[in-house]
Amino acid sequence: MIVKQREYPAQIRAGEALLGRLPERHPLYGQIARDVKKWDAKYKREKRADRFLEILPSGQFYVYHALPITNTCLDGLILTRNFVLITGYNHLSGAIFPDPAFAQLIQQKGGKEKGWPEPFACLQKQREILCTWARMRHLPELPLEYLLVLCHEGAELKMPVANSADELRICPASQAVYKVTKMMETYSQLVLDGKHFKKWHKHLLECRKNPGICPWPVDQSDMYTGVGCPLCRRFEMDFNNGAWHCQVCGHTSKDAHRKAIEEFYLLFGRDAPDGALCSFLRVDALTAAQIVREAAH
């Protein structure tokens, strides 16, 4: 059962908001555009990989995508009454050779070869974090496993001669369900009763990610401020008599400020001072309070 769906990442939405408010001549514009394109491609690959897990039996497996735990975010977590599985998505393409001796991946692409130890090290660290998180909440102990999932369509997994696919914690996205069911055979002993399973589930649902702030060092003074016109996209709207009026094309809108407020929180966080919001919207404090209050309903 898919308990938590993967949401469109805030960092991509922040990048899209920033691109709409920066002149193309800005020195970071190209970098931001490349980052947004790269992250969007990763998100789409992860959503595609997520769909392979939808066929897991709903009564036995609870699936949480993009789950924040402490100061990290798990690509995925699968809760059963027998074990917990952390899934990590890898975006490498080309021929991928697992190297169990050195806990790394060997990538062969374009006639070049490169070693990647980070994927397994990251998952091992996340397993430690999850173990500490569960202990602090007095949750019953469960075996904690991890699985590295190749989600790039252009990845081809090549198994080393000395190991079979069942022995290694890695698979293509299309084989993830097979790996999970094989783990269920390995961990056949029931560990949690219904009450403690629900306790694990309840605490996982309570995990919340802190709102992010724009990852690029761009000052508000570099941006086009104000409320954007939904019609001509210019930031030349004035607020009069309860509505926004574009000074360029004459368009009138009752709720044009909603998008601008959302963009402000994406770029500067919800803890930003009220004065910064007034400056961003180009309105006085009284008007800002009025439209923020209206936008909350």
Coordinates of all heavy atoms in Angstrom, one line a residue, residues 93-129:
S93 N 23.8 6.0 -15.3 CA 23.4 5.3 -16.6 C 24.6 4.5 -17.1 O 25.7 4.6 -16.5 CB 23.0 6.3 -17.6 OG 24.0 7.2 -17.9
G94 N 24.4 3.7 -18.1 CA 25.5 2.9 -18.7 C 25.6 1.6 -18.0 O 24.6 1.1 -17.4
A95 N 26.7 0.9 -18.2 CA 26.9 -0.4 -17.6 C 27.3 -0.3 -16.1 O 28.3 0.4 -15.9 CB 27.9 -1.2 -18.4
I96 N 26.6 -0.9 -15.2 CA 26.9 -0.7 -13.8 C 27.3 -2.1 -13.2 O 26.5 -3.1 -13.3 CB 25.6 -0.2 -13.0 CG1 25.1 1.0 -13.7 CG2 26.0 0.0 -11.6 CD1 26.0 2.2 -13.7
F97 N 28.5 -2.1 -12.7 CA 29.0 -3.4 -12.1 C 29.1 -3.2 -10.6 O 29.9 -2.4 -10.1 CB 30.4 -3.7 -12.6 CG 30.5 -4.0 -14.1 CD1 30.4 -2.9 -15.0 CD2 30.5 -5.3 -14.6 CE1 30.5 -3.2 -16.4 CE2 30.6 -5.6 -15.9 CZ 30.5 -4.5 -16.8
P98 N 28.4 -3.9 -9.8 CA 28.6 -3.9 -8.3 C 29.9 -4.5 -7.9 O 30.3 -5.5 -8.5 CB 27.4 -4.8 -7.8 CG 26.4 -4.9 -8.9 CD 27.2 -4.8 -10.1
D99 N 30.6 -3.8 -7.0 CA 31.9 -4.3 -6.5 C 31.8 -4.6 -5.0 O 32.1 -3.7 -4.2 CB 33.0 -3.3 -6.8 CG 34.4 -3.7 -6.4 OD1 34.5 -4.9 -5.9 OD2 35.3 -2.9 -6.5
P100 N 31.3 -5.7 -4.6 CA 31.1 -6.0 -3.2 C 32.3 -5.9 -2.3 O 32.2 -5.5 -1.2 CB 30.5 -7.5 -3.2 CG 30.1 -7.7 -4.6 CD 31.0 -6.9 -5.5
A101 N 33.5 -6.2 -2.9 CA 34.7 -6.2 -2.1 C 35.0 -4.8 -1.5 O 35.5 -4.6 -0.4 CB 35.9 -6.7 -2.9
F102 N 34.6 -3.7 -2.3 CA 34.9 -2.4 -1.9 C 33.6 -1.6 -1.7 O 33.7 -0.3 -1.6 CB 35.8 -1.7 -2.9 CG 37.2 -2.3 -3.0 CD1 37.4 -3.2 -4.0 CD2 38.2 -1.9 -2.1 CE1 38.7 -3.8 -4.1 CE2 39.4 -2.5 -2.2 CZ 39.7 -3.4 -3.2
A103 N 32.5 -2.2 -1.7 CA 31.2 -1.6 -1.4 C 31.0 -0.4 -2.3 O 30.7 0.7 -1.9 CB 31.0 -1.2 0.0
Q104 N 31.2 -0.6 -3.6 CA 31.0 0.5 -4.6 C 30.4 0.0 -5.9 O 30.2 -1.2 -6.1 CB 32.4 1.1 -4.8 CG 33.3 0.2 -5.6 CD 34.6 0.9 -5.9 OE1 34.7 2.1 -5.9 NE2 35.7 0.1 -6.3
L105 N 30.1 1.0 -6.7 CA 29.6 0.7 -8.1 C 30.7 1.1 -9.0 O 31.4 2.1 -8.9 CB 28.3 1.4 -8.4 CG 27.1 1.2 -7.5 CD1 25.9 2.0 -8.0 CD2 26.7 -0.3 -7.5
I106 N 30.9 0.3 -10.1 CA 31.8 0.6 -11.2 C 30.9 1.0 -12.4 O 30.1 0.1 -12.8 CB 32.7 -0.5 -11.5 CG1 33.5 -1.0 -10.3 CG2 33.7 -0.1 -12.7 CD1 34.4 0.1 -9.7
Q107 N 31.0 2.2 -12.9 CA 30.2 2.6 -14.0 C 31.1 2.6 -15.3 O 32.2 3.2 -15.3 CB 29.7 4.0 -13.8 CG 28.9 4.6 -14.9 CD 28.6 6.1 -14.8 OE1 29.4 6.8 -14.2 NE2 27.5 6.5 -15.3
Q108 N 30.7 2.0 -16.3 CA 31.3 2.0 -17.6 C 30.4 2.8 -18.6 O 29.3 2.3 -18.9 CB 31.7 0.6 -18.1 CG 32.7 -0.1 -17.3 CD 33.1 -1.4 -17.9 OE1 32.5 -1.9 -18.8 NE2 34.1 -2.1 -17.3
K109 N 30.9 3.9 -19.1 CA 30.1 4.7 -20.0 C 31.0 5.5 -20.9 O 31.9 6.2 -20.4 CB 29.2 5.6 -19.2 CG 28.2 6.5 -20.0 CD 27.4 7.3 -19.1 CE 26.4 8.2 -20.0 NZ 25.6 9.1 -19.1
G110 N 30.7 5.5 -22.2 CA 31.5 6.3 -23.2 C 32.9 5.9 -23.2 O 33.8 6.8 -23.4
G111 N 33.2 4.6 -23.0 CA 34.6 4.2 -23.0 C 35.4 4.5 -21.7 O 36.6 4.3 -21.7
K112 N 34.7 5.1 -20.7 CA 35.4 5.4 -19.5 C 34.9 4.6 -18.3 O 33.7 4.1 -18.4 CB 35.3 6.9 -19.2 CG 35.9 7.8 -20.2 CD 35.8 9.3 -19.9 CE 36.4 10.2 -20.9 NZ 36.2 11.6 -20.6
E113 N 35.7 4.4 -17.3 CA 35.3 3.7 -16.1 C 35.5 4.5 -14.8 O 36.5 5.2 -14.7 CB 36.1 2.4 -16.0 CG 35.7 1.5 -14.9 CD 36.4 0.1 -14.9 OE1 36.1 -0.6 -15.8 OE2 37.3 -0.1 -14.0
K114 N 34.5 4.5 -13.9 CA 34.6 5.3 -12.7 C 33.9 4.5 -11.5 O 32.9 3.8 -11.7 CB 33.8 6.6 -12.9 CG 33.9 7.6 -11.7 CD 33.2 8.9 -12.0 CE 33.3 9.8 -10.8 NZ 32.7 11.2 -11.0
G115 N 34.5 4.7 -10.4 CA 34.0 4.0 -9.2 C 33.2 5.0 -8.4 O 33.5 6.2 -8.2
W116 N 32.0 4.5 -7.8 CA 31.1 5.3 -7.0 C 30.9 4.6 -5.7 O 30.0 3.7 -5.6 CB 29.8 5.5 -7.7 CG 29.9 6.2 -9.0 CD1 30.2 5.7 -10.3 CD2 29.7 7.6 -9.2 NE1 30.2 6.7 -11.2 CE2 29.9 7.9 -10.6 CE3 29.4 8.7 -8.4 CZ2 29.7 9.2 -11.1 CZ3 29.2 9.9 -8.9 CH2 29.4 10.2 -10.3
P117 N 31.6 5.0 -4.6 CA 31.3 4.4 -3.3 C 30.2 5.0 -2.5 O 29.6 4.4 -1.6 CB 32.7 4.6 -2.5 CG 33.2 5.9 -3.2 CD 32.8 5.9 -4.6
E118 N 29.8 6.2 -3.0 CA 28.8 7.0 -2.2 C 27.4 6.3 -2.0 O 26.8 6.4 -1.0 CB 28.6 8.4 -2.8 CG 29.8 9.3 -2.8 CD 30.8 9.0 -4.0 OE1 30.5 8.1 -4.8 OE2 31.7 9.8 -4.1
P119 N 26.9 5.7 -3.1 CA 25.5 5.1 -2.9 C 25.3 4.2 -1.7 O 24.4 4.3 -1.0 CB 25.3 4.4 -4.3 CG 26.2 5.1 -5.2 CD 27.4 5.5 -4.5
F120 N 26.3 3.3 -1.5 CA 26.1 2.3 -0.4 C 26.5 3.0 0.9 O 25.8 2.7 1.9 CB 27.0 1.1 -0.7 CG 26.6 0.2 -1.8 CD1 27.3 0.1 -3.0 CD2 25.4 -0.5 -1.7 CE1 26.9 -0.7 -4.0 CE2 25.0 -1.3 -2.7 CZ 25.7 -1.4 -3.9
A121 N 27.5 3.9 0.9 CA 27.8 4.6 2.2 C 26.6 5.4 2.6 O 26.4 5.5 3.9 CB 29.0 5.5 1.9
C122 N 25.9 6.1 1.7 CA 24.8 6.9 2.1 C 23.7 6.0 2.7 O 23.1 6.4 3.7 CB 24.3 7.6 0.8 SG 22.8 8.7 1.1
L123 N 23.4 4.9 2.1 CA 22.3 4.0 2.6 C 22.7 3.4 4.0 O 21.8 3.3 4.9 CB 22.1 2.9 1.6 CG 21.2 3.3 0.4 CD1 21.2 2.1 -0.6 CD2 19.8 3.6 0.8
Q124 N 24.0 3.1 4.2 CA 24.4 2.6 5.5 C 24.3 3.7 6.5 O 23.8 3.4 7.7 CB 25.9 2.1 5.4 CG 26.0 0.9 4.5 CD 27.5 0.6 4.1 OE1 28.4 1.4 4.4 NE2 27.7 -0.5 3.4
K125 N 24.6 4.9 6.2 CA 24.4 6.0 7.1 C 22.9 6.2 7.4 O 22.5 6.5 8.6 CB 25.0 7.3 6.5 CG 24.9 8.5 7.4 CD 25.6 8.4 8.7 CE 25.6 9.6 9.5 NZ 26.3 9.5 10.8
Q126 N 22.1 6.1 6.4 CA 20.6 6.3 6.6 C 20.1 5.2 7.5 O 19.2 5.5 8.3 CB 19.9 6.4 5.3 CG 20.1 7.6 4.5 CD 19.4 7.7 3.2 OE1 18.9 6.7 2.7 NE2 19.2 8.9 2.7
R127 N 20.6 4.0 7.4 CA 20.2 2.9 8.3 C 20.5 3.2 9.7 O 19.7 3.0 10.6 CB 20.8 1.6 7.9 CG 20.4 0.4 8.7 CD 20.8 -0.9 8.1 NE 22.2 -1.1 8.1 CZ 22.9 -2.2 7.7 NH1 22.2 -3.2 7.3 NH2 24.2 -2.2 7.7
E128 N 21.7 3.8 10.0 CA 22.1 4.2 11.3 C 21.1 5.3 11.9 O 20.7 5.3 13.0 CB 23.5 4.7 11.3 CG 24.5 3.6 11.0 CD 25.9 4.2 10.9 OE1 26.1 5.4 11.2 OE2 26.8 3.5 10.4
I129 N 20.8 6.3 11.0 CA 19.9 7.4 11.4 C 18.5 6.8 11.8 O 17.9 7.2 12.8 CB 19.9 8.4 10.3 CG1 21.2 9.2 10.2 CG2 18.7 9.4 10.6 CD1 21.3 10.1 9.0

